[in-house]
Amino acid sequence: MSGQPMLATYLAENAALIEAELKRSLPEVWAVPPRLRESMDYSLSAGGKRLRPVLVLAAAEAARGGESDREAALRVACAVEMIHTYSLIHDDLPAMDNDDFRRGKPTNHRVFGEAMAILAGDGLLTHAFHMAASARRYGADAGVVLDIVEDLSRLSGPAGMVGGQAADMQGEQGATALPELQYIHEHKTSDLIIFSVTAGVRLGGARAEQLARLEQFGRKLGLAFQIQDDILDLIGDESKLGKKTNSDTAAGKVTYPYLVGMEESRRLLAQFTDDAKQALLEARLPKPERLVELADYLMNRDR
Amino acid sequence: MSGQPMLATYLAENAALIEAELKRSLPEVWAVPPRLRESMDYSLSAGGKRLRPVLVLAAAEAARGGESDREAALRVACAVEMIHTYSLIHDDLPAMDNDDFRRGKPTNHRVFGEAMAILAGDGLLTHAFHMAASARRYGADAGVVLDIVEDLSRLSGPAGMVGGQAADMQGEQGATALPELQYIHEHKTSDLIIFSVTAGVRLGGARAEQLARLEQFGRKLGLAFQIQDDILDLIGDESKLGKKTNSDTAAGKVTYPYLVGMEESRRLLAQFTDDAKQALLEARLPKPERLVELADYLMNRDR
């Protein structure tokens, strides 16, 4: 790791790059109605860990073995953050989770109204594909960009993230068992993380057998991420989380600790993290260290 | 026109092709939660004129000068129909237009609930980009397919159809003037029609200066289409329309007849149709006759 910045510095620097790119992602020359743009910007600039876009950048560097040629990866990084952001806006709607706050701020529909929140989500979802497709103008191969567009649609669509959300809406405490919970999280959480790491290594020039390993890395990392989320909801520090603890169980959600207990949840967290790192090492990327560090960081995070 | 089927036959045959392609557009191998798939299928198979996908096919034939190589155009045709269908599902939601019926059937959220209707819309919107990108596997050039993906995002996104819908939500009787009404319809209606005809001629191998003309053709055709919609809402035959007349004005919508009167609306309809046909002829496509016929048909339709 010599010569590399510390993980904290790496995360801060990359988050800043992503913020800047997100800011210029809706070109001023495009006539977007002001209130719609405001509503989209409100949620897009609400912060968060920017985990998915950072994974795109880190995966591209890991596959390429260096930091050059970051522009195309930045476009794809913004695309996945737009998908993630739209999914939060729609999930928070009264007809869905009916949440009033997100990251300590009023949710989009509380500020802009339900109709505008639906449209802001639709707008971000649609614009994400423009961001992804535009990677071609930053040096990425047209065939690779089309693979990325197809992956983004498949992994965030009806058989991916949207499917996970639909299954989640139909699940309920007392009726959902571990296989269903895993299905929900593989799609609601893992699929976008799979997209992030595979899109990154595609841009970095990975081969087909490496992609299969990275898909496994993303799947297990996503499940570990979700379990840590569930654990933090129960025993985390409210001031660090920016939300009340125990909100999941109170809202009637099925979580890992609810279903299998805290001890088994911790065991699964450690196992999924190990599985993830194993798959990553088997991919034999030129420079995987940062991705290993990110996996450890996600397992041990406190917010 | 010798050797060509009549327009009615052409429309029926192409609509059947599109129905069949839509049916197989969500591969069975993909694990989509059953209720979500049902909700998406419900709206996708609800019929309608299939105007936009037919325009994709007709434009591809006009540019190519023949009917061969239709598979790629069919994929893109399904993509635009999915975008159109998702926009209807979201527009009908209680927070938006709050409509209980569409084409004589209960609206999606009346059957599947609001949460599933939002997700079905998100799913169709996301899957549309998979359909468009997959045209590459049916013989289309990767660069052309990426142009089409970018156009689909731009014309259906925040500066396109979603922007038109946002402007429409904020408009009201008494406050909206002709320039705003035109802005709304150029985006809410024309943009997807522009997409349909330009994507079709891109697949047919059109040159840049032809694309500019076709964009103008689509814009004017969309405005003519919308005026005819507004006129039919006032004086159409309820049994043919499948809905009550005068519903727009009653719902507080601003329409062309409301704003400029019936006589001026008819004049604008004729003018926009002429402008559209003029732009089409100037594009000098090898075989434009079917598109001319479609323009005339849309102006004179009774439903």
Side-chain angles (χ1 to χ4, degrees):
Chain A
M1 309 263 228
S2 61
Q4 283 203 56
M6 298 285 291
L7 183 64
T9 312
Y10 178 85
L11 286 173
E13 284 176 0
N14 279 287
L17 272 178
I18 291 155
E19 301 296 335
E21 188 74 12
L22 285 172
K23 283 254 176 289
R24 63 189 186 95
S25 63
L26 270 180
E28 289 300 326
V29 292
W30 285 15
V32 177
R35 193 74 180 154
L36 175 63
R37 179 185 284 265
E38 232 182 291
S39 174
M40 292 167 67
D41 282 346
Y42 177 81
S43 294
L44 205 53
S45 58
K49 290 178 281 290
R50 307 297 192 198
L51 165 67
R52 292 155 193 82
V54 167
L55 282 171
V56 176
L57 300 181
E61 290 164 19
R64 192 186 298 125
E67 279 197 25
S68 63
D69 204 16
R70 197 159 44 185
E71 286 303 313
L74 258 178
R75 305 292 288 182
V76 174
C78 286
V80 72
E81 189 67 3
M82 286 180 188
I83 295 284
H84 176 59
T85 302
Y86 112 75
S87 77
L88 300 180
I89 297 174
H90 281 189
D91 283 6
D92 287 338
L93 286 168
M96 309 275 274
D97 289 350
N98 195 20
D99 278 321
D100 287 339
F101 290 92
R102 157 90 52 193
R103 294 173 188 149
K105 287 173 67 178
T107 45
N108 196 294
H109 65 273
R110 295 283 296 167
V111 178
F112 296 92
E114 264 184 81
M116 198 55 86
I118 293 168
L119 292 171
D122 293 345
L124 286 168
L125 161 47
T126 309
H127 196 58
F129 285 95
H130 206 275
M131 293 299 286
S134 73
R136 164 182 54 158
R137 283 195 294 278
Y138 295 83
D141 171 78
V144 169
V145 175
L146 273 177
D147 288 337
I148 289 173
V149 166
E150 284 192 297
D151 280 355
L152 184 59
S153 172
R154 179 173 53 84
L155 290 164
S156 70
M161 185 188 71
V162 170
Q165 178 64 10
D168 193 18
M169 296 301 302
Q170 298 193 284
E172 51 182 312
Q173 288 174 358
T176 304
L178 197 57
E180 287 91 66
L181 186 66
Q182 191 141 328
Y183 175 90
I184 290 169
H185 292 313
E186 279 194 11
H187 294 293
K188 215 181 142 165
T189 306
S190 287
D191 278 350
L192 271 201
I193 291 178
I194 292 172
F195 171 79
S196 302
V197 295
T198 54
V201 301
R202 276 187 194 281
L203 291 170
R207 302 182 308 275
E209 67 274 20
Q210 292 179 307
L211 278 173
R213 302 289 186 195
L214 264 289
E215 188 180 318
Q216 184 68 354
F217 169 65
R219 177 171 295 113
K220 299 294 183 172
L221 190 66
L223 290 172
F225 180 80
Q226 185 60 50
I227 294 176
Q228 180 67 347
D229 238 33
D230 287 356
I231 292 175
L232 286 173
D233 183 71
L234 279 176
I235 59 160
D237 178 335
E238 291 186 355
S239 67
K240 286 183 180 160
L241 292 171
K243 63 167 191 176
K244 291 219 174 300
T245 53
N246 207 23
S247 61
D248 286 344
T249 319
K253 285 197 189 165
V254 180
T255 68
Y256 277 92
Y258 176 91
L259 212 57
V260 299
M262 188 61 89
E263 197 176 335
E264 174 68 1
S265 296
R266 285 193 198 282
R267 195 191 66 74
L268 283 171
L269 168 61
Q271 188 197 307
F272 288 147
T273 308
D274 283 349
D275 291 350
K277 289 198 285 191
Q278 184 62 32
L280 177 59
L281 292 179
E282 286 170 7
R284 298 187 174 277
L285 297 177
K287 203 175 168 189
E289 297 83 2
R290 191 62 90 188
L291 287 175
V292 176
E293 253 188 306
L294 278 165
D296 284 326
Y297 161 75
L298 289 175
M299 180 178 166
N300 296 308
R301 74 204 155 89
D302 57 7
R303 68 192 177 93
Chain B
M1 306 265 233
S2 62
Q4 283 203 55
M6 297 285 291
L7 182 64
T9 311
Y10 178 85
L11 286 173
E13 283 177 1
N14 279 287
L17 274 178
I18 291 155
E19 302 296 334
E21 187 74 14
L22 285 171
K23 283 257 175 286
R24 64 188 186 96
S25 63
L26 270 180
E28 288 300 326
V29 292
W30 286 15
V32 177
R35 194 72 180 153
L36 175 63
R37 180 186 283 264
E38 232 182 293
S39 173
M40 293 168 65
D41 281 346
Y42 177 81
S43 293
L44 206 52
S45 58
K49 289 177 281 291
R50 307 297 193 199
L51 165 68
R52 292 156 193 82
V54 167
L55 282 172
V56 175
L57 301 181
E61 289 163 19
R64 192 186 298 125
E67 278 197 25
S68 63
D69 203 17
R70 197 159 44 185
E71 286 304 312
L74 258 178
R75 305 294 287 182
V76 175
C78 287
V80 73
E81 190 66 3
M82 286 180 185
I83 294 284
H84 177 58
T85 302
Y86 113 74
S87 78
L88 300 181
I89 296 174
H90 281 191
D91 283 5
D92 286 338
L93 286 167
M96 309 274 275
D97 289 350
N98 195 20
D99 278 320
D100 288 338
F101 290 92
R102 155 95 46 198
R103 293 170 188 151
K105 288 173 67 178
T107 45
N108 196 294
H109 66 272
R110 295 284 295 169
V111 178
F112 297 92
E114 264 185 80
M116 199 55 88
I118 294 169
L119 291 171
D122 293 344
L124 287 168
L125 162 46
T126 309
H127 196 58
F129 286 94
H130 206 276
M131 293 300 286
S134 74
R136 165 182 55 157
R137 283 195 293 281
Y138 295 84
D141 171 77
V144 168
V145 175
L146 273 177
D147 288 336
I148 288 173
V149 166
E150 284 194 296
D151 280 355
L152 184 59
S153 172
R154 179 172 53 83
L155 290 164
S156 70
M161 185 188 70
V162 170
Q165 179 64 12
D168 193 18
M169 296 301 302
Q170 300 193 283
E172 51 182 312
Q173 288 174 359
T176 302
L178 197 57
E180 286 92 66
L181 186 66
Q182 190 139 329
Y183 174 91
I184 290 169
H185 292 313
E186 280 195 9
H187 295 294
K188 215 181 142 167
T189 306
S190 287
D191 278 349
L192 270 201
I193 291 177
I194 293 173
F195 171 78
S196 302
V197 295
T198 54
V201 300
R202 277 188 194 280
L203 290 170
R207 302 182 308 274
E209 68 273 21
Q210 291 178 308
L211 278 172
R213 302 289 185 192
L214 264 290
E215 189 182 318
Q216 184 67 354
F217 169 65
R219 176 170 296 112
K220 298 295 183 171
L221 190 65
L223 291 172
F225 180 80
Q226 185 59 49
I227 295 177
Q228 180 66 349
D229 238 33
D230 287 356
I231 291 175
L232 286 172
D233 183 73
L234 279 177
I235 59 159
D237 179 334
E238 291 186 355
S239 67
K240 285 183 179 158
L241 292 171
K243 64 169 190 172
K244 291 220 175 297
T245 52
N246 208 21
S247 61
D248 287 344
T249 318
K253 285 199 190 162
V254 179
T255 67
Y256 277 91
Y258 177 90
L259 212 59
V260 299
M262 189 61 90
E263 198 178 334
E264 175 67 4
S265 296
R266 286 192 197 280
R267 195 190 65 76
L268 283 170
L269 168 61
Q271 188 197 307
F272 287 147
T273 308
D274 282 350
D275 291 350
K277 290 197 284 190
Q278 183 62 32
L280 176 60
L281 292 180
E282 287 170 8
R284 298 187 172 277
L285 298 176
K287 203 175 168 189
E289 296 81 3
R290 190 63 89 192
L291 288 175
V292 175
E293 253 188 307
L294 278 165
D296 284 326
Y297 161 74
L298 290 175
M299 180 178 166
N300 296 306
R301 73 203 157 91
D302 57 7
R303 66 192 180 95

